[in-house]
Amino acid sequence: MTSPQTTRTRRWRGAVAAVAAALVTVPLLSACGTDTPRSLLASIKNGDVVLGTKYDQPGLANRNPDKSHSGSDVDVSEFVVKQIAKNNGWAEPKITWKETPSPLRERMIENGEVDMIAATYSISAARTKKVTFAGPYLTTYQALLVSKKTANPIKSLEDLNSGRKLCSVSGSTSAINVKAALPNVQLQQYDGYASCVEGVRRGVLDALTTDATILAGFQAKYPDEFDIVPMTYPKDVTLTSSTGTKTEKKKGDQFSTERYGIGLRKGDGEALSEVNKALRQMTLGEQGTTTYDAEAVPAVPSCMVPAAVVSTYTGLAYANPDNELFKALRENLGEYANTMIEQGRPVEGGKPKSVLVAVPGDQSWLLPDKDGNVKVTVNGATMTLPKADPQAQCTKAGV
């Protein structure tokens, strides 16, 4: 039987423990954010900006042993922030980096833990419900990383369909796409890309699949060990999503197309405009940006980027092959960077093998009025889209 004295002692100890836990928790919560999204432009102007990125993707976004950061996404982030400061006559701000794991990115923007995120951050319909995306600044595709040293090398996607072992990270759609098209492949899911890469290096796995840019970073980290194999559908196939939605894929179609953007707080139109301008300056240079803004931007906002504008943008980018974006790719992604750049080069009278330079996205054409609404022209008629979600209204209107 428990005595009253013992009971009081336990309650007292429990109270002390609760207070101690609260004291520990308060600073932790304070360190995580303010629950209020940050203003990127205000942070840059005030001289202290917090940038989100990955810490474990060589060539793209990596934290080095000396705690410095390197990679093409890091270079893009730094260029954008410094260019915005320059464009506005502000001093360059102090940059603080924060790791932004994929499942937490939207929440970290919403909670005010970071001002913006560039971290192989693919623009998607689901994500745009929570954050605003600048860009895209880069287009990439799903591919395979395979060993150069194996006796039975994988040279095409069909080579996987003989019971070979394919790796991707848990929950990734990359491996699921392959499994749907190649039912005989042995799918292995690991917790991280580094584990998959090590498995391919040791011959335990035959291939890793994810974005070609991510694979290029590992290829550059381990010279002469890996090849990158493009992935297109070997035959016509119908894919069924977890929600039952069916998608028709034709032979030769890319398995997936990823457009990397910069995540900002939802609805921050001023920051969106400033970041997109900085991205144009990174890709086109100062003179190319001036030409593009004067000649290519439509006078009347529209839901979709006109084809002629895409052509003008790409042409200006490739007119300066040493632009800051291409330079960042070459310096960080090794030999495959040149492959990506060449495959995206404009072809007179036809289409390039793939798209690399992504014209600033549809959101940059949605120019709000003083009330926050967006007026666009559809088939010659002007329509007003509510500020809540103009992109959804564009889709609904079929434009």
Side-chain angles (χ1 to χ4, degrees):
M1 180 176 178
T2 304
S3 68
Q5 177 71 28
T6 303
T7 301
R8 283 194 297 270
T9 300
R10 287 178 178 171
R11 287 175 179 168
W12 179 80
R13 289 175 177 167
V16 171
V19 171
L23 291 173
V24 171
T25 302
V26 168
L28 287 176
L29 289 175
S30 300
C32 290
T34 62
D35 292 331
T36 301
R38 297 168 63 95
S39 167
L40 173 65
L41 299 187
S43 294
I44 296 175
K45 184 177 182 180
N46 293 335
D48 195 348
V49 65
V50 182
L51 305 182
T53 193
K54 295 291 183 70
Y55 278 18
D56 59 353
Q57 290 185 342
L60 289 162
N62 201 56
R63 192 184 193 207
N64 305 312
D66 63 359
K67 296 186 179 180
S68 64
H69 295 262
S70 62
S72 57
D73 275 350
V74 170
D75 289 350
V76 168
S77 292
E78 289 184 337
F79 182 93
V80 164
V81 166
K82 292 176 181 179
Q83 189 65 41
I84 289 175
K86 179 181 177 182
N87 291 343
N88 288 278
W90 303 330
E92 288 187 5
K94 171 190 173 185
I95 295 176
T96 300
W97 296 98
K98 182 166 283 192
E99 185 175 19
T100 48
S102 295
L104 303 180
R105 287 179 294 201
E106 291 82 46
R107 187 190 310 169
M108 293 181 74
I109 292 174
E110 292 173 323
N111 290 351
E113 296 178 54
V114 293
D115 286 291
M116 73 178 208
I117 295 177
T120 57
Y121 204 179
S122 297
I123 299 173
S124 70
R127 289 169 178 163
T128 54
K129 293 179 181 178
K130 296 184 177 181
V131 301
T132 288
F133 278 101
Y137 58 89
L138 191 68
T139 301
T140 187
Y141 307 91
Q142 188 174 342
L144 296 173
L145 187 75
V146 301
S147 174
K148 288 184 174 181
K149 300 177 180 179
T150 180
N152 188 15
I154 293 174
K155 297 181 179 180
S156 68
L157 190 61
E158 291 90 332
D159 292 338
L160 281 175
N161 207 28
S162 58
R164 309 289 279 272
K165 293 179 181 178
L166 173 69
C167 185
S168 191
V169 297
S170 300
S172 167
T173 57
S174 300
I176 296 172
N177 290 341
V178 177
K179 187 69 175 176
L182 304 174
N184 293 328
V185 70
Q186 293 187 44
L187 179 58
Q188 309 281 322
Q189 298 197 60
Y190 286 22
D191 290 336
Y193 294 119
S195 299
C196 288
V197 170
E198 190 58 31
V200 177
R201 291 185 75 200
R202 292 190 291 111
V204 177
L205 300 166
D206 294 300
L208 159 64
T209 182
T210 188
D211 301 351
T213 45
I214 296 175
L215 301 180
F218 285 108
Q219 185 189 49
K221 181 178 180 179
Y222 301 105
D224 302 319
E225 290 198 33
F226 295 116
D227 280 325
I228 296 176
V229 178
M231 289 177 59
T232 57
Y233 282 94
K235 60 181 180 180
D236 294 354
V237 63
T238 301
L239 302 179
T240 304
S241 71
S242 58
T243 61
T245 302
K246 295 185 180 299
T247 303
E248 301 294 331
K249 293 289 185 179
K250 300 295 184 182
K251 180 180 179 180
D253 284 352
Q254 295 282 352
F255 262 67
S256 70
T257 300
E258 306 296 334
R259 296 174 177 85
Y260 291 168
I262 294 179
L264 307 166
R265 69 174 179 173
K266 182 68 175 175
D268 193 342
E270 190 176 0
L272 173 66
S273 177
E274 290 277 356
V275 174
N276 271 336
K277 180 179 179 179
L279 289 174
R280 292 197 297 276
Q281 291 169 313
M282 185 175 196
T283 307
L284 308 182
E286 294 286 352
Q287 185 56 52
T289 298
T290 300
T291 300
Y292 174 79
D293 288 351
E295 300 177 4
V297 177
V300 179
S302 61
C303 284
M304 300 301 294
V305 182
V309 174
V310 176
S311 177
T312 298
Y313 191 89
T314 306
L316 287 169
Y318 277 89
N320 178 18
D322 293 323
N323 67 61
E324 293 298 323
L325 177 63
F326 288 2
K327 188 186 299 183
L329 295 176
R330 290 191 181 103
E331 289 178 353
N332 292 287
L333 298 181
E335 61 183 84
Y336 194 73
N338 287 320
T339 299
M340 292 191 297
I341 292 169
E342 285 305 310
Q343 288 181 348
R345 184 178 295 279
V347 178
E348 189 171 351
K351 294 183 178 181
K353 188 172 182 180
S354 64
V355 175
L356 173 69
V357 176
V359 72
D362 297 349
Q363 294 181 61
S364 65
W365 310 105
L366 299 173
L367 308 178
D369 61 21
K370 61 182 178 62
D371 298 319
N373 296 314
V374 177
K375 293 183 179 180
V376 299
T377 300
V378 180
N379 297 326
T382 299
M383 60 185 290
T384 300
L385 308 179
K387 59 185 177 182
D389 195 351
Q391 288 284 50
Q393 295 298 319
C394 279
T395 302
K396 186 176 180 181
V399 293

